[in-house]
Amino acid sequence: MAVAESPWKLAKDSPSRQLLWELSRLRIYEQEEFYEQLDRESQEREAAHKNALAIAIARHDQVRKDAEAERDRQIQLEAERREAEARREEERQRQARAEREKAEKQRAAERAEAAARAERAAAREREAEAARRKAEKDRRDSQAAEAKKQEQEAAARKKAEDERKSKEAAAARPNEKTQPIISPTQPSLTSKLQAPPQEPRREEEHRRYLEIHKSLKEMRNFLTERAKQDPKLKSRMGDMRREIKKSIGQLREGKGANTVPHASIQKTLKEAVASFPQPTISLANFTASSQPDAQAPALLVFLLNHLSKSVVAQFIKEAAVSPKIADPIGTIAISIFANNEFRVNGHSLIDILIAKMHVVCPPLFGIYGPEDTQEGRTRLGWWREFPEGPWISEQAHQDRMTGLGAGYAALSLRNFEKSKMANPYPPYHFWRALTAILNVPAGHVTETHLVVLKALLTNCEARFLEFFGEPAKKLLQFAVKEYPKRARKGSVAAAVLSNLGETMKKDKKLYL
């Protein structure tokens, strides 16, 4: 940059002006040079910014292009995924339709098979009922004919005897006029069917258990009256009874299936012992054996009585349809009566339950009588539809006996070898029941005995053999082969019992 010369440089009269001018020009020069430097830097920055912007724009365009390409790729992938999902869904629906159609066909086939089985069962039932009625009619006709024949033979013998005596008397007293001899009345058919005298010991034992059952009713009335004076007892007594009944109704087959109801029953009974020790009652009226007299909480006896009632009701309701369900019911019942916390002076109160079995199923204890008389049916435990009402049907009676027989086997065939508790009802009671039925005289074996015997033996042969060994096998042989021959001709129950041996051979590989 050229520096202007001061017009006063050569002036001799103004040296200060010359200096001033030069200083001002120097200042101006520095400012111009500073601004030129700023302009250069600004231009350089602008160029750098423009270059960076161009690079950023180029990068942005590349990113945009890459994003668009990725978007298009993702759109394509999503379209392919949806198409594949649609194909899979269509295939799944097709398979579901095929499975539904197959299941529907299978259900239809099962329904048809069930209907056919039901029809066959109904037909067999009708045939069996017709056969039973015919056999019953033939039996009665045969009995009537036999009785009439015996009466005629007895009358003929009596007449011949009378004639012989008359002739002898006439010969001995020829002058004396012979008097006619009136034949005494012959025994009727009804008198021939009356139950014969039975073993006194069994009868006495049976009466004792019936007395226990009557005493339990009196105890219930006694405790109900006492509860009216104790609001707390009155409130809990009903609740406890309902809890026990509900728990018994919940018992089912399967390992561990009854843990909750069993615990609930124990909890209820423990509360009765701990919270209601009074009033107490004497156990003399509630045990069959000659145990020393002892006092027990009345509420405990009351609840054990209701537990026994619920157990018997479940035997009749559930085990009559499926005898296997009797096993868990019997297991829980025996475990309760075996529990030391519910014993009195170490004595189990199992007689409360057995008393109810004596009432509902006397044939288990050697009781017998004719099924076609009022007294005989009462002795056999034949139930009425309501007190003083008509008898229940024969089929309903046999169903009851089936459930009770299976229930008794579940109670009496329990193995306590691995338990710390004592068995309150050992297996020898099962042997006694079996022999009591098998020792019924041939002329007094009824359908009830045959049904109860079959229920005792069904599903229990393995445990029976485990407890009694070879004698048990011989008893089984007699029960299924010889005993049915004692039944009346045409007995359906006898035929079913005879077939039990084949069932044991086929299902259990037990050859009798």
Side-chain angles (χ1 to χ4, degrees):
M1 178 179 171
V3 180
E5 294 184 356
S6 170
W8 295 283
K9 184 177 181 182
L10 301 177
K12 298 179 179 179
D13 56 343
S14 301
S16 59
R17 286 178 179 271
Q18 182 180 0
L19 181 60
L20 179 63
W21 185 84
E22 290 178 355
L23 290 174
S24 63
R25 293 306 300 173
L26 181 60
R27 178 65 177 169
I28 291 171
Y29 170 77
E30 290 177 352
Q31 287 180 347
E32 288 177 351
E33 188 177 5
F34 173 73
Y35 284 124
E36 285 178 358
Q37 180 67 26
L38 287 180
D39 289 340
R40 284 194 302 272
E41 292 178 356
S42 177
Q43 289 173 359
E44 290 174 356
R45 283 195 297 272
E46 181 180 359
H49 288 165
K50 287 181 179 180
N51 186 41
L53 182 59
I55 294 173
I57 291 173
R59 289 180 178 176
H60 176 74
D61 288 341
Q62 185 60 41
V63 169
R64 179 179 57 78
K65 291 178 181 178
D66 292 344
E68 290 176 351
E70 180 64 19
R71 180 197 62 190
D72 294 341
R73 191 178 69 84
Q74 291 296 331
I75 291 173
Q76 179 65 23
L77 291 175
E78 180 64 17
E80 293 176 355
R81 187 189 64 78
R82 290 183 178 180
E83 183 179 354
E85 181 66 24
R87 288 196 300 270
R88 287 194 297 271
E89 179 64 19
E90 183 179 356
E91 179 64 17
R92 187 187 63 78
Q93 292 180 357
R94 186 188 65 77
Q95 291 179 354
R97 285 194 300 271
E99 290 176 359
R100 285 197 298 270
E101 291 173 358
K102 181 179 178 181
E104 183 61 31
K105 290 180 181 179
Q106 185 176 357
R107 285 194 294 270
E110 290 175 353
R111 287 195 294 269
E113 179 63 22
R117 285 198 303 269
E119 180 61 27
R120 290 194 297 270
R124 287 196 299 269
E125 182 66 22
R126 290 193 295 270
E127 292 174 359
E129 181 65 16
R132 186 192 64 76
R133 291 179 179 177
K134 183 177 182 303
E136 182 68 17
K137 182 176 181 301
D138 292 345
R139 181 180 69 83
R140 291 181 178 178
D141 292 345
S142 176
Q143 287 180 342
E146 181 67 21
K148 185 176 181 181
K149 181 180 177 181
Q150 290 178 0
E151 291 177 358
Q152 291 174 348
E153 291 176 352
R157 287 195 298 272
K158 184 66 176 176
K159 182 177 179 181
E161 181 68 17
D162 291 343
E163 289 176 354
R164 184 184 63 79
K165 290 181 178 180
S166 297
K167 289 178 181 179
E168 290 177 355
R173 298 185 299 275
N175 297 325
E176 196 173 320
K177 187 177 180 180
T178 304
Q179 298 293 328
I181 300 178
I182 302 176
S183 175
T185 303
Q186 300 297 321
S188 65
L189 177 61
T190 302
S191 65
K192 291 171 66 66
L193 294 177
Q194 295 299 318
Q198 305 198 31
E199 186 180 344
R201 184 176 60 82
R202 291 190 184 276
E203 287 289 328
E204 180 60 31
E205 180 181 325
H206 183 56
R207 280 195 296 270
R208 175 57 188 148
Y209 275 103
L210 295 184
E211 291 173 0
I212 292 175
H213 189 262
K214 182 180 178 181
S215 298
L216 288 167
K217 291 185 177 181
E218 296 172 353
M219 178 275 303
R220 183 180 60 193
N221 295 333
F222 159 76
L223 192 60
T224 301
E225 291 297 321
R226 286 294 299 267
K228 293 178 181 179
Q229 306 170 18
D230 187 343
K232 181 182 178 183
L233 174 61
K234 181 178 180 181
S235 173
R236 285 300 293 147
M237 187 170 72
D239 292 340
M240 289 177 168
R241 177 178 59 81
R242 285 185 288 272
E243 287 167 6
I244 288 177
K245 182 178 180 181
K246 181 186 72 173
S247 297
I248 293 296
Q250 293 173 342
L251 298 179
R252 293 292 179 269
E253 291 184 83
K255 185 176 181 180
N258 300 315
T259 302
V260 174
H262 187 199
S264 176
I265 295 171
Q266 288 185 316
K267 179 181 177 182
T268 301
L269 294 175
K270 288 178 182 178
E271 180 186 352
V273 174
S275 302
F276 299 95
Q278 298 293 333
T280 61
I281 53 175
S282 172
L283 291 183
N285 295 327
F286 306 108
T287 57
S289 58
S290 56
Q291 296 288 333
D293 191 13
Q295 296 290 315
L299 183 58
L300 175 63
V301 177
F302 172 84
L303 293 176
L304 289 176
N305 178 44
H306 276 284
L307 180 139
S308 302
K309 183 177 179 181
S310 298
V311 166
V312 170
Q314 285 299 104
F315 284 156
I316 294 172
K317 179 182 177 182
E318 300 287 346
V321 179
S322 176
K324 288 185 178 181
I325 192 62
D327 195 62
I329 300 173
T331 300
I332 297 301
I334 284 295
S335 69
I336 293 298
F337 283 102
N339 195 317
N340 292 326
E341 295 184 71
F342 312 134
R343 292 174 178 259
V344 178
N345 292 345
H347 181 65
S348 172
L349 301 182
I350 188 70
D351 286 342
I352 294 175
L353 175 56
I354 303 305
K356 295 192 178 296
M357 296 298 290
H358 270 267
V359 171
V360 295
C361 195
L364 287 167
F365 308 99
I367 305 303
Y368 54 88
E371 289 182 322
D372 51 1
T373 67
Q374 301 284 325
E375 180 186 358
R377 286 192 168 191
T378 300
R379 286 179 59 79
L380 291 171
W382 200 305
W383 224 241
R384 295 180 183 271
E385 294 183 2
F386 52 87
E388 306 301 326
W391 301 103
I392 61 175
S393 68
E394 182 172 5
Q395 185 60 51
H397 169 67
Q398 292 185 3
D399 288 344
R400 283 173 58 89
M401 294 296 111
T402 297
L404 292 167
Y408 188 83
L411 291 172
S412 55
L413 283 178
R414 302 255 65 92
N415 191 340
F416 273 65
E417 286 184 357
K418 298 180 180 180
S419 175
K420 295 180 180 180
M421 299 182 292
N423 190 346
Y425 206 65
Y428 70 78
H429 289 284
F430 182 86
W431 180 279
R432 285 189 63 195
L434 209 56
T435 55
I437 295 175
L438 296 178
N439 284 325
V440 172
H444 301 280
V445 175
T446 64
E447 295 289 280
T448 300
H449 292 96
L450 297 164
V451 170
V452 173
L453 180 59
K454 179 182 179 296
L456 282 172
L457 298 178
T458 302
N459 301 320
C460 296
E461 54 279 287
R463 279 181 288 170
F464 184 42
L465 291 170
E466 177 185 351
F467 282 118
F468 297 103
E470 189 62 26
K473 188 173 183 180
K474 293 186 180 298
L475 204 62
L476 286 174
Q477 290 174 342
F478 179 82
V480 301
K481 292 184 177 181
E482 300 300 326
Y483 190 70
K485 297 177 182 178
R486 295 185 179 182
R488 60 176 173 79
K489 185 178 180 181
S491 168
V492 177
V496 173
L497 181 60
S498 298
N499 291 333
L500 187 59
E502 291 299 317
T503 302
M504 291 179 183
K505 181 169 68 174
K506 178 180 177 182
D507 297 341
K508 307 295 177 63
K509 307 303 180 186
L510 177 60
Y511 297 89
L512 301 177

